[in-house]
Amino acid sequence: MNNNRWQNALDNALQAAARGFAVFPLSRNKVPAIPSPHDKGHRCTGLTQCGSFGHGVGDASNNPDTIRAGFDQAPHAAGYGIACGAGTLPLIGLDLDRKNGVDGCATLNQLATRHGFTIPRTVTVCTPSGGFHLWFTGPAGAHIPNSVGRVGPGIDVRGTRGYLVGPGSRGKTGEYTIHPGITDPTVHPIPGQLLQLLAPPKAEPRPAARHSPNPAQNGRVLDGLVRVVTTSAEGSRNDRLFWAAAKAWAHVRDGHLAASDVEPALVSAAVGTGLGETEARRTVASAQKGAGA
């Protein structure tokens, strides 16, 4: 254990919690630092449900004692995650990448011009790769899906059951720091026009179910499979995504789920755990072929 790095991560996490943010420990790879305590296929969504750490963003808390207890189980923690999409003023994060010929800042400015909104000088975190994390608050109860590049090139969205790497965290390539030009620590509300761009795509009409007359039950089935993905730990995320996707496509084949619902729900859940969108889509597609859906 690097005591200095671990202590730095804990101190910064406690400072963020004092401002009302729910936090949990991360490794140098920016993924949850505590492995899952459960076997594959479990439906536990967080610390408050089972009393054990190891649920990623499901462990997030702003209680200092809980945070210290979590870090005690994460001796190799080098940073901390800040939970998005929860509470009365849910945090919404925009991850603006600036690499490989893509400039998320330019994309966001273009969207602002095209849709007529102004980007407020909200809390901004500089990433080691030269990009930025912009923090916004959203309206209570808003469901904002996690996404990679859906809004525009170089813009990743962190919403419901997603997380941002907190300032002061140290990854493999450097430290996350508050932008030097930001002197006001206020997290500003997200502009309404921008919120509309981040909202879930309008659902396609559902095909009529061939066997199940109970839409509520079908929704619970998909929610349960999504929970399998969102509670997966590093090292098991892809396997659990494939398992959940195979089950979902089997339900599609039987007429109990709509095909148009499966991929967006599972890919969004996988991205929220830190899995790349391309890899997640590939895994879901592979499961679809295996299920014959």
Side-chain angles (χ1 to χ4, degrees):
M1 177 175 78
N2 185 316
N3 288 321
N4 291 335
R5 188 170 60 205
W6 180 90
Q7 189 65 53
N8 174 76
L10 174 58
D11 291 345
N12 280 284
L14 289 171
Q15 290 176 25
R19 293 187 56 199
F21 299 111
V23 301
F24 62 100
L26 296 180
S27 72
R28 291 181 65 208
N29 294 322
K30 304 179 294 184
V31 297
I34 304 175
S36 174
H38 303 293
D39 294 329
K40 284 186 177 182
H42 74 91
R43 296 187 177 183
C44 183
T45 59
L47 175 65
T48 57
Q49 184 173 343
C50 75
S52 297
F53 290 96
H55 308 86
V57 72
D59 293 341
S61 173
N62 58 14
N63 181 290
D65 292 335
T66 302
I67 295 166
R68 291 190 181 94
F71 270 82
D72 283 344
Q73 294 191 30
H76 299 291
Y80 64 102
I82 298 180
C84 296
T88 55
L89 288 175
L91 184 65
I92 299 171
L94 293 189
D95 181 354
L96 307 181
D97 287 330
R98 302 177 75 190
K99 56 187 177 183
N100 302 324
V102 175
D103 188 340
C105 296
T107 300
L108 181 59
N109 288 330
Q110 292 166 6
L111 290 174
T113 299
R114 186 182 312 150
H115 295 277
F117 63 86
T118 300
I119 305 166
R121 288 180 61 81
T122 192
V123 170
T124 302
V125 175
C126 302
T127 72
S129 61
F132 303 99
H133 291 170
L134 272 58
W135 297 13
F136 298 100
T137 58
H143 169 62
I144 300 299
N146 299 286
S147 63
V148 177
R150 182 179 69 82
V151 176
I155 300 180
D156 300 343
V157 179
R158 297 293 173 257
T160 305
R161 288 197 70 85
Y163 64 89
L164 292 164
V165 180
S169 297
R170 293 171 182 165
K172 285 187 173 181
T173 58
E175 185 174 2
Y176 290 75
T177 60
I178 293 290
H179 193 291
I182 300 296
T183 57
D184 180 2
T186 301
V187 181
H188 288 271
I190 191 167
Q193 299 95 323
L194 178 56
L195 181 65
Q196 291 179 6
L197 295 176
L198 308 188
K202 291 184 178 179
E204 299 176 6
R206 281 175 175 261
R210 294 192 296 269
H211 301 296
S212 172
N214 190 341
Q217 182 178 355
N218 297 343
R220 287 194 295 271
V221 169
L222 185 55
D223 287 346
L225 295 174
V226 166
R227 282 196 297 274
V228 170
V229 178
T230 58
T231 56
S232 58
E234 182 183 5
S236 67
R237 292 174 295 179
N238 212 24
D239 288 344
R240 295 184 68 177
L241 173 61
F242 184 90
W243 182 90
K247 291 288 187 182
W249 289 123
H251 286 300
V252 169
R253 185 186 59 212
D254 294 339
H256 297 141
L257 288 178
S260 59
D261 292 340
V262 168
E263 185 187 39
L266 294 181
V267 170
S268 176
V271 169
T273 69
L275 206 62
E277 184 173 20
T278 299
E279 181 181 1
R281 291 190 184 281
R282 188 182 302 121
T283 298
V284 172
S286 178
Q288 182 180 17
K289 291 180 182 177

